[in-house]
Amino acid sequence: EAQVTQNPRYLITVTGKKLTVTCSQNMNHEYMSWYRQDPGLGLRQIYYSMNVEVTDKGDVPEGYKVSRKEKRNFPLILESPSPNQTSLYFCASSFQGTGRAFFGQGTRLTVV
Amino acid sequence: DAKTTQPPSMDCAEGRAANLPCNHSTISGNEYVYWYRQIHSQGPQYIIHGLKNNETNEMASLIITEDRKSSTLILPHATLRDTAVYYCIVRVPLIQGAQKLVFGQGTRLTINP
């Protein structure tokens, strides 16, 4: 089954404690991206990757890092989480050039 | 990418057709219309897309006006599970760059029993 898998689904952490949210897709998609969703602000792109070892900033990259060492994986790293990063996070993947994206089920992160 | 306008909310009776409108009056010739939906706080789900012609798949139909300035997503026999926020997105197919999907506020569709 074609899917994008994120882990964990829920996470409560403390300010400053490094964390990683994993994202994996099984569709051989070149393009992967991370979004965050906040009430009233909709979905905003954090980072994206056009292929292995090719990443770039989206609209709200501050406080986040990503890596793309393998085509299927695109982890989101918060080196020093802060409360304003409390949000619902989605990973998405697609073939290059298409707007037909597959989204993961989301990770609800709370930073206290 | 062209801006889209959707009604903030709609209601529909279970079993009836749900028709969700979207205005995209500034759409350009090579921009596609995409529809996604988000059920509660799950990940957005692709529904359908089109350029000029009407499209149909197992989930829905997409009707695009001849001038392409508006479109309608049709769920032919709405069920309670179709209750969701529906997003209309217009975008150019890019090979390079951010390729982000710009989600507006969408239409909150409620299917009533």
Side-chain angles (χ1 to χ4, degrees):
Chain A
E1 180 190 353
Q3 60 185 2
V4 177
T5 304
Q6 292 179 229
N7 280 297
R9 293 288 310 280
Y10 302 90
L11 179 61
I12 301 174
T13 190
V14 296
T15 299
K17 185 177 181 181
K18 181 179 178 180
L19 67 91
T20 299
V21 183
T22 64
C23 173
S24 180
Q25 51 95 4
N26 62 0
M27 296 163 280
N28 203 36
H29 287 160
E30 304 93 357
Y31 188 81
M32 297 185 74
S33 59
W34 278 100
Y35 292 80
R36 62 177 288 176
Q37 186 173 29
D38 303 288
L41 297 177
L43 283 113
R44 295 177 291 168
Q45 191 183 59
I46 303 171
Y47 265 95
Y48 65 93
S49 169
M50 290 191 288
N51 217 322
V52 176
E53 303 291 2
V54 182
T55 64
D56 208 345
K57 297 176 181 179
D59 295 323
V60 288
E62 295 77 21
Y64 304 95
K65 284 177 54 177
V66 293
S67 69
R68 187 92 181 272
K69 293 182 170 32
E70 305 165 284
K71 198 170 186 179
R72 63 184 293 124
N73 296 323
F74 190 46
L76 179 70
I77 303 157
L78 285 73
E79 295 268 2
S80 183
S82 63
N84 64 10
Q85 292 178 297
T86 292
S87 187
L88 181 57
Y89 292 86
F90 292 104
C91 178
S93 73
S94 65
F95 287 116
Q96 204 74 279
T98 176
R100 182 173 180 174
F102 291 75
F103 283 78
Q105 285 303 298
T107 295
R108 188 170 292 280
L109 172 66
T110 301
V111 183
V112 298
Chain B
D1 295 331
K3 182 178 170 57
T4 63
T5 304
Q6 299 177 251
S9 64
M10 292 182 65
D11 285 275
C12 180
E14 189 178 18
R16 304 296 295 268
N19 297 285
L20 292 91
C22 179
N23 285 322
H24 31 78
S25 58
T26 61
I27 194 169
S28 59
N30 61 347
E31 287 183 308
Y32 284 73
V33 180
Y34 284 83
W35 283 83
Y36 279 77
R37 73 180 183 183
Q38 187 174 24
I39 297 172
H40 193 43
S41 293
Q42 297 178 22
Q45 176 189 25
Y46 165 85
I47 301 173
I48 199 167
H49 75 281
L51 181 63
K52 295 181 185 177
N53 301 319
N54 298 338
E55 302 287 345
T56 296
N57 63 20
E58 65 279 3
M59 289 183 69
S61 295
L62 174 61
I63 308 297
I64 302 175
T65 58
E66 195 167 339
D67 63 7
R68 303 209 322 121
K69 293 185 177 183
S70 66
S71 59
T72 300
L73 177 75
I74 301 172
L75 308 177
H77 305 287
T79 71
L80 298 178
R81 287 176 294 184
D82 292 320
T83 292
V85 178
Y86 288 77
Y87 298 98
C88 169
I89 299 168
V90 170
R91 54 157 286 160
V92 176
L94 296 172
I95 300 300
Q96 299 292 329
Q99 301 189 47
K100 64 186 174 189
L101 294 168
V102 179
F103 290 82
Q105 296 305 307
T107 295
R108 183 171 297 277
L109 175 67
T110 302
I111 306 300
N112 300 306

